[in-house]
């Protein structure tokens, strides 16, 4: 997977769902009981249309980013009951006729159509993310897995997008949530959809392999505290980057640079004797990864030990033609520490004369979330990258998106779900959905029309109305009209399953005045 394409043409065979647990049995029992009742009544082949949508944008926000379409198409492309599935269903539905299970053996999705908004798109409440059309019994069996595959995917993609919006386009965002995710699939899904939502890399190696997501990571505090002193380092040799020479004692070279730093006027008094076990760990890591040396500097004392030790190793690497990747802060006042670290780097560049050293990368972690990033921005900081885990992948501030899957048409007859709670009233009939754009290219509004109604036209004044709130209405004269729903499946794959790069122009989202027609 890349952010712009999954690479496979529409005619290529579609792989199975990423998680092997995604099978026709990954559904609620009532889907099978309804399927049997449809079959028993002779209604199972009737043509039905269902909308998959959500009622309210998550996290108290105004938008959602759609995720999960690719996995839904993978699921239906491989939808088939195995004999062991049939045997299990017989055991839990013992009163059902044998002919029903014969019917299930033949069920696939060759008579199903799926229309959807492109994955990675910004979407809004009530507008269908997916429209699924086909035999009512078959489409009913797709309800729970589709909602499952879209719900968390869209929620975590949106969470990632919100973090990207707050962090800004220039910052690097790293997803570090695997160890805190809800199980292995939660971790894999989070890595994939955080990448779709605007993150740059993940620490999750399995996700890197599965989806071609860039991997990033360094060492832990355990690595630092496992060393006692530089005397433990046995192989001290390091070849220069261009291979022209070999430094036989890299440890001695680092210690010489540390002494030079201690004698430098502008740095004198900032640190004294640094922690030697930390220094040993940094040297060992640099010897292992001289081209990718990124050090965790807060195991003991950031400014009095971690940063001086890092700088000594980085300067020794620089002498051999390498460039250190940077440092990571994982505790303390991140805004203050990042500013102090940047000042130290600037002083080193000025006094030692190493061009670019002042711009050495500073990464921050430690239970970061959207609010933390906002607070850091308001305080002022020098952080270049954020490693974000728990609050990101668990979607801590909202448990679920709340997607629903509602029947809107059967046998070409509209159907509606009524409720005393107006937010739960469904919008009947098979729809077309359009996004209207203004003169400056910004999206103005999304509207829905009946399938057979004329589409909105460029330059033609349109009255857009909210279906449940008469006071929400607006006249719009679109300068461009984009039809949102595309056919991705019509018994076979119709369009490539390409993921849109998440557009970082999220500022325009807040200009959208979303009403329905």
């Amino acid at each position: 997977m890349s952010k712009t394409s999954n690479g496979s043409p529409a005619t290529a065979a579609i792989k199975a769902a990423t998680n092997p647990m995604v099978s026709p049995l990954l559904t609620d029992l009532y889907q099978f009981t309804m399927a049997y009742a449809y079959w028993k009544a002779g209604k199972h082949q009737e043509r039905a249309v269902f909308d998959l949508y959500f009622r309210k944008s998550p996290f108290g926000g105004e938008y959602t980013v759609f995720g999960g379409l690719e996995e839904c198409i993978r699921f239906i492309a491989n939808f088939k009951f195995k004999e062991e599935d049939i045997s299990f269903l017989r055991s839990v539905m013992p009163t059902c006729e044998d002919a029903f299970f014969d019917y299930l053996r033949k069920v696939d999705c060759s008579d199903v159509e799926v229309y959807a908004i492109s994955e990675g798109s910004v979407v809004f409440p009530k507008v269908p993310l997916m429209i699924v059309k086909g035999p009512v019994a078959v489409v009913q069996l797709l309800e729970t897995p589709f909602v499952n595959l879209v719900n968390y995917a869209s929620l975590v993609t949106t969470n990632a997008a919100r973090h990207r919006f707050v962090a800004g386009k220039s910052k690097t965002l790293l997803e570090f949530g695997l160890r805190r995710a809800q199980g292995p699939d939660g971790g894999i899904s989070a890595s994939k959809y955080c990448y779709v939502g605007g993150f740059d890399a993940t620490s999750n190696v399995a996700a890197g392999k599965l989806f071609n997501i860039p991997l990033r990571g360094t060492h832990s505090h355990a690595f630092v505290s496992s060393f006692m002193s530089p005397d433990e380092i046995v192989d001290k040799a390091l070849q220069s980057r261009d291979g022209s020479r070999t430094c036989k004692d890299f440890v001695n070279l680092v210690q010489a640079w540390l002494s030079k730093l201690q004698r430098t006027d502008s740095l004198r008094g900032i640190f004294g004797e640094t922690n030697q076990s930390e220094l040993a760990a940094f040297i060992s890591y640099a010897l292992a990864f001289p081209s990718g040396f990124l050090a965790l500097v807060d195991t003991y004392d950031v400014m009095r030990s971690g940063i001086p030790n890092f700088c000594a190793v980085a300067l020794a690497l620089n002498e051999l033609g390498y460039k250190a990747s940077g440092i990571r802060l994982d505790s303390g006042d991140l805004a203050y520490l990042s500013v102090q670290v940047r000042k130290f780097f600037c002083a080193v560049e000025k006094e030692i004369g190493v061009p670019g050293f002042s711009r050495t990368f500073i990464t921050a972690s430690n239970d970061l979330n959207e609010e933390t990033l906002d607070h850091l921005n308001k305080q002022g900081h020098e952080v270049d990258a954020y490693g974000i885990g728990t609050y990101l992948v668990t979607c801590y501030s909202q448990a679920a998106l709340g997607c629903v899957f509602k029947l809107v048409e059967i046998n070409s007859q509209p159907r509606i779900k009524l409720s005393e709670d107006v937010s739960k009233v469904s919008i009947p009939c098979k729809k077309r959905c359009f996004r209207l754009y203004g003169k400056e290219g910004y999206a103005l509004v999304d509207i829905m029309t009946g399938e057979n109604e004329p589409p909105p036209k460029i330059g033609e004044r349109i009255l857009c109305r909210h279906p449940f709130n008469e006071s929400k209405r607006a006249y719009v004269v679109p300068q461009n009209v984009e039809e949102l729903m595309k056919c991705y499946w019509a018994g076979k794959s119709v369009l490539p399953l390409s993921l849109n790069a998440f557009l970082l122009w999220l500022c325009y989202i807040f200009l959208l005045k979303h009403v329905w027609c």
Side-chain angles (χ1 to χ4, degrees):
M1 183 193 78
S2 71
K3 287 191 178 183
T4 55
S5 176
N6 277 337
S8 58
T11 55
I14 297 178
K15 296 179 181 178
T18 301
N19 187 338
M21 293 295 292
V22 179
S23 77
L25 294 189
L26 186 70
T27 191
D28 296 302
L29 178 61
Y30 82 157
Q31 309 292 7
F32 285 108
T33 60
M34 284 190 289
Y36 179 69
Y38 285 134
W39 179 86
K40 184 74 172 173
K43 287 176 61 67
H44 58 293
Q45 296 290 3
E46 293 185 4
R47 302 293 293 181
V49 178
F50 285 78
D51 286 353
L52 190 157
Y53 61 94
F54 59 96
R55 297 185 175 116
K56 187 177 181 181
S57 289
F59 311 114
E62 299 179 13
Y63 67 92
T64 303
V65 183
F66 177 34
L69 173 62
E70 177 189 8
E71 292 297 330
C72 289
I73 300 301
R74 285 187 176 202
F75 172 64
I76 60 174
N78 296 278
F79 190 95
K80 194 72 177 174
F81 288 99
K82 299 177 182 178
E83 198 56 43
E84 55 263 38
D85 299 336
I86 300 295
S87 297
F88 178 75
L89 289 171
R90 280 182 182 275
S91 71
V92 297
M93 303 171 68
T95 62
C96 294
E97 298 175 32
D98 289 344
F100 172 66
F101 298 106
D102 292 335
Y103 158 72
L104 288 182
R105 285 188 177 92
K106 300 174 184 177
V107 164
D108 59 23
C109 291
S110 59
D111 200 20
V112 172
E113 298 171 25
V114 176
Y115 302 83
I117 297 176
S118 299
E119 188 164 10
S121 297
V122 175
V123 291
F124 300 92
K126 296 288 188 178
V127 177
L129 306 178
M130 301 171 65
I131 295 174
V132 187
K133 181 178 181 180
V136 64
V138 176
V139 178
Q140 197 77 70
L141 292 173
L142 302 178
E143 174 181 359
T144 301
F146 270 25
V147 171
N148 176 271
L149 291 169
V150 169
N151 200 338
Y152 176 71
S154 298
L155 186 71
V156 75
T157 303
T158 306
N159 202 21
R162 291 174 64 90
H163 281 75
R164 166 56 70 193
F165 180 77
V166 174
K169 292 185 288 185
S170 65
K171 302 301 180 183
T172 299
L173 293 181
L174 312 172
E175 180 268 309
F176 285 173
L178 178 58
R179 63 182 61 194
R180 304 288 172 77
Q182 284 96 336
D185 186 60
I188 291 291
S189 297
S191 297
K192 175 179 181 178
Y193 293 110
C194 286
Y195 188 55
V196 175
F199 272 58
D200 298 288
T202 180
S203 65
N204 185 341
V205 178
K209 176 186 176 184
L210 284 169
F211 309 120
N212 196 31
I213 301 173
L215 291 171
R216 291 282 291 274
T218 180
H219 57 78
S220 70
H221 295 103
F223 182 81
V224 176
S225 57
S226 70
F227 286 82
M228 297 297 291
S229 80
D231 295 337
E232 297 176 63
I233 300 171
V234 178
D235 186 357
K236 302 178 181 180
L238 180 62
Q239 191 176 57
S240 64
R241 184 178 180 84
D242 61 9
S244 62
R245 61 193 177 96
T246 298
C247 173
K248 295 182 179 180
D249 194 340
F250 185 70
V251 175
N252 187 59
L253 180 61
V254 170
Q255 290 172 329
W257 275 110
L258 185 60
S259 296
K260 186 171 183 177
L261 290 172
Q262 289 172 325
R263 297 192 304 271
T264 301
D265 290 341
S266 61
L267 302 177
R268 187 177 298 150
I270 296 177
F271 66 98
E273 289 296 323
T274 63
N275 187 287
Q276 292 299 292
S277 62
E278 180 181 63
L279 182 62
F282 289 179
I283 293 171
S284 294
Y285 202 78
L287 285 167
F289 300 101
S291 296
F293 175 58
L294 193 151
L296 180 60
V297 296
D298 67 346
T299 305
Y300 300 108
D301 186 300
V302 173
M303 296 309 302
R304 297 188 64 80
S305 181
I307 293 303
N309 280 338
F310 165 79
C311 289
V313 176
L315 290 167
L317 288 172
N318 181 75
E319 187 174 324
L320 296 175
Y322 299 99
K323 180 176 174 57
S325 297
I327 62 105
R328 177 162 72 97
L329 299 168
D330 192 50
S331 60
D333 186 333
L334 298 177
Y336 171 78
L337 286 173
S338 68
V339 170
Q340 296 305 115
V341 169
R342 183 69 68 202
K343 289 179 179 178
F344 198 103
F345 289 162
C346 289
V348 170
E349 177 174 341
K350 180 180 179 181
E351 296 294 337
I352 307 299
V354 181
F357 198 89
S358 61
R359 297 189 298 274
T360 299
F361 230 60
I362 299 174
T363 300
S365 51
N366 186 32
D367 284 336
L368 300 180
N369 57 34
E370 188 181 340
E371 290 182 359
T372 308
L373 301 188
D374 186 48
H375 290 323
L376 286 171
N377 288 339
K378 290 174 179 176
Q379 292 176 63
H381 65 87
E382 289 291 335
V383 176
D384 299 298
Y386 300 102
I388 308 176
T390 304
Y391 290 94
L392 174 69
V393 303
T394 63
C395 297
Y396 186 84
S397 59
Q398 181 165 327
L401 178 58
C403 290
V404 294
F405 194 83
K406 296 300 180 185
L407 178 70
V408 296
E409 187 175 287
I410 192 160
N411 295 330
S412 300
Q413 295 299 310
R415 288 293 184 267
I416 187 171
K417 175 193 179 295
L418 297 175
S419 172
E420 292 182 3
D421 182 349
V422 70
S423 69
K424 292 191 173 183
V425 176
S426 63
I427 301 174
C429 83
K430 189 172 187 293
K431 306 167 187 69
R432 296 177 71 182
C433 305
F434 301 90
R435 182 160 293 171
L436 310 185
Y437 293 83
K439 292 181 179 179
E440 296 180 353
Y442 292 132
L444 301 173
V445 65
D446 287 357
I447 67 168
M448 294 183 287
T449 69
E451 182 180 29
N452 298 318
E453 293 183 61
K457 296 179 181 179
I458 294 174
E460 184 176 285
R461 192 169 184 243
I462 302 167
L463 175 61
C464 302
R465 296 182 297 178
H466 192 290
F468 307 126
N469 189 333
E470 186 63 23
S471 67
K472 290 186 177 181
R473 53 170 60 194
Y475 278 105
V476 175
V477 181
Q479 302 304 305
N480 186 34
V481 176
E482 175 190 7
E483 184 155 11
L484 295 177
M485 308 301 296
K486 301 178 179 68
C487 183
Y488 280 88
W489 180 267
K492 63 180 181 179
S493 178
V494 176
L495 287 177
L497 294 172
S498 58
L499 289 176
N500 289 344
F502 179 71
L503 301 179
L504 298 181
W505 315 107
L506 281 177
C507 55
Y508 89 82
I509 289 168
F510 300 103
L511 299 176
L512 288 172
K513 304 300 182 185
H514 188 230
V515 293
W516 298 267
C517 157

